[in-house]
Amino acid sequence: GAVVSQHPSWVICKSGTSVKIECRSLDFQATTMFWYRQFPKQSLMLMATSNEGSKATYEQGVEKDKFLINHASLTLSTLTVTSAHPEDSSFYICSARRGLGGEAKTQYFGPGTRLLVL
Amino acid sequence: DAKTTQPPSMDCAEGRAANLPCNHSTISGNEYVYWYRQIHSQGPQYIIHGLKNNETNEMASLIITEDRKSSTLILPHATLRDTAVYYCIVRVVGTASKLTFGTGTRLQVTL
């Protein structure tokens, strides 16, 4: 199967600090990775799309200077929440898609990282 | 990408088949139908996808109507562990396409 891991699974931090979340595709190479955010009782909201070796594309309303995304290799993407505030507390989920081209390429999701900012 | 419509919630008795409907009446010819589910406090899990033919795998079956305007996900023998929110998503194939989640159907499997 296609396995995506995230680390850490949960994190508590103080307001004003930065938090880094790692997303790894364990058994496939992911040319594209996605970061989603989910607030309680809501659906997943796409934050950004990143392609290996290039800058991430952010969805409207997502601050690129606050949510730094790095996709330095085909198996690793990181999301850094800079100067976190309580309103950034959420469930952050990454997703990875293998391959390129016109065929249907399935996205696989990580288990999520729960962030609590005090 | 085309919009989908799903009932907000459904119940199913354990051991029975769960049939989850999805309406995607504006689907285009190059859009696939994907199904994912999210068990509480976990990341979404891929279930199945299809273009126009019916599909089956070890988890479920996907029935797509001939006009492709609707589909049904079938869990043949639901168990308590199938309790989750099920998302039906249509997606244009291609490198720029992305999965956009709606509100899904909350399936409750009961004893």
Side-chain angles (χ1 to χ4, degrees), chain A residues 48-88:
Chain A
T49 302
S50 73
N51 292 297
E52 185 261 338
S54 61
K55 288 185 179 180
T57 301
Y58 291 81
E59 295 298 302
Q60 192 172 10
V62 178
E63 299 175 59
K64 63 180 180 180
D65 294 330
K66 181 169 183 63
F67 299 99
L68 302 179
I69 292 171
N70 184 284
H71 189 169
S73 78
L74 287 173
T75 59
L76 173 65
S77 176
T78 60
L79 168 69
T80 301
V81 183
T82 62
S83 186
H85 290 287
E87 58 265 29
D88 298 323

Side-chain angles (χ1 to χ4, degrees), chain B residues 11-86:
Chain B
D11 291 331
C12 178
E14 189 177 35
R16 305 296 293 270
N19 297 285
L20 292 91
C22 180
N23 183 290
H24 33 78
S25 58
T26 60
I27 193 170
S28 301
N30 62 346
E31 288 182 311
Y32 282 70
V33 179
Y34 280 79
W35 284 84
Y36 284 80
R37 72 180 182 185
Q38 186 178 25
I39 296 169
H40 184 63
S41 295
Q42 297 182 24
Q45 178 187 22
Y46 166 76
I47 302 174
I48 200 167
H49 75 277
L51 183 60
K52 46 185 165 182
N53 297 323
N54 297 337
E55 303 287 345
T56 295
N57 63 20
E58 64 278 4
M59 289 184 67
S61 294
L62 173 61
I63 308 298
I64 303 174
T65 57
E66 195 169 335
D67 62 8
R68 303 208 324 123
K69 293 185 177 183
S70 65
S71 61
T72 302
L73 178 74
I74 301 172
L75 308 179
H77 305 286
T79 70
L80 297 177
R81 288 179 295 181
D82 293 321
T83 293
V85 178
Y86 286 77

Side-chain angles (χ1 to χ4, degrees), chain A:
Chain A
V3 180
V4 178
S5 70
Q6 280 184 244
H7 178 81
S9 55
W10 59 269
V11 58
I12 301 173
C13 70
K14 291 183 180 178
S15 185
T17 61
S18 293
V19 174
K20 180 186 282 189
I21 302 169
E22 289 188 350
C23 175
R24 293 182 186 272
S25 55
L26 298 185
D27 53 359
F28 67 98
Q29 293 186 326
T31 50
T32 306
M33 286 186 166
F34 306 84
W35 287 94
Y36 291 79
R37 180 168 54 180
Q38 185 175 34
F39 292 107
K41 299 191 187 236
Q42 294 186 23
S43 189
L44 284 79
M45 296 294 294
L46 179 65
M47 299 175 67
T49 302
S50 73
N51 292 297
E52 185 261 338
S54 61
K55 288 185 179 180
T57 301
Y58 291 81
E59 295 298 302
Q60 192 172 10
V62 178
E63 299 175 59
K64 63 180 180 180
D65 294 330
K66 181 169 183 63
F67 299 99
L68 302 179
I69 292 171
N70 184 284
H71 189 169
S73 78
L74 287 173
T75 59
L76 173 65
S77 176
T78 60
L79 168 69
T80 301
V81 183
T82 62
S83 186
H85 290 287
E87 58 265 29
D88 298 323
S89 298
S90 188
F91 191 46
Y92 291 86
I93 308 167
C94 77
S95 175
R97 187 170 71 201
R98 59 170 111 199
L100 290 169
E103 297 178 18
K105 301 296 182 186
T106 301
Q107 271 180 241
Y108 298 94
F109 288 79
T113 296
R114 195 161 297 282
L115 171 63
L116 177 61
V117 184
L118 302 176

